[in-house]
Amino acid sequence: MSDIDTTAFDSTAAGAADATHDKATKAAQGIRTGAEKIGQQATDKVRAFAEMGKDKAGGTLDQFAQMLTDAAGTVDEKIGAQYGQYARQAADTVSGLADTIRAKDVDALVDDARGYVRASPGVAIGVAAALGFVVARLVQSGLDEKA
């Protein structure tokens, strides 16, 4: 058996392995960078939608407060002044909620909601169910009018 000098082969293989490793590292870095960009774009879109939703919620709550205020006069006449005052207090509360929603940024609202759910999970479930019912009724009434 003859001794073959494998030094040149070993260094060539090591160089190829290093080049392959470098290419794989660069590809992985490129994928990571692309994923970070996509994640940031998604976060920005969600934040923009949340801001639009916050603005719409504030406007809708203002309209609801105005409806309560307008209805308070009718309640005064039909049921009594005491109940009309309840409607006005409810309108003031809803209006205050609208102002609070407009004044806070989305992150603060999410943090507030999380804290409220942690503090009172039963009440939070009840409120969610009630809101779901109201939304379903509103959607159903809108569909009934179009039919």
Side-chain angles (χ1 to χ4, degrees), residues 25-115:
T25 302
K26 287 179 183 177
Q29 182 61 35
I31 290 170
R32 256 187 244 114
T33 302
E36 288 173 1
K37 285 180 183 177
I38 290 171
Q40 185 60 45
Q41 289 172 349
T43 300
D44 292 344
K45 285 255 188 213
V46 167
R47 189 171 303 282
F49 285 133
E51 285 292 334
M52 286 186 337
K54 182 183 88 143
D55 292 340
K56 285 184 180 182
T60 301
L61 287 171
D62 279 337
Q63 290 174 353
F64 184 60
Q66 186 59 47
M67 284 181 5
L68 288 171
T69 301
D70 294 345
T74 304
V75 171
D76 283 341
E77 294 171 10
K78 302 226 179 213
I79 301 175
Q82 178 184 5
Y83 296 105
Q85 186 57 32
Y86 292 150
R88 286 182 194 83
Q89 288 173 348
D92 290 343
T93 301
V94 170
S95 181
L97 176 61
D99 292 342
T100 299
I101 287 174
R102 272 194 291 278
K104 290 186 177 185
D105 68 347
V106 173
D107 292 330
L109 291 171
V110 169
D111 289 342
D112 288 350
R114 282 186 183 141

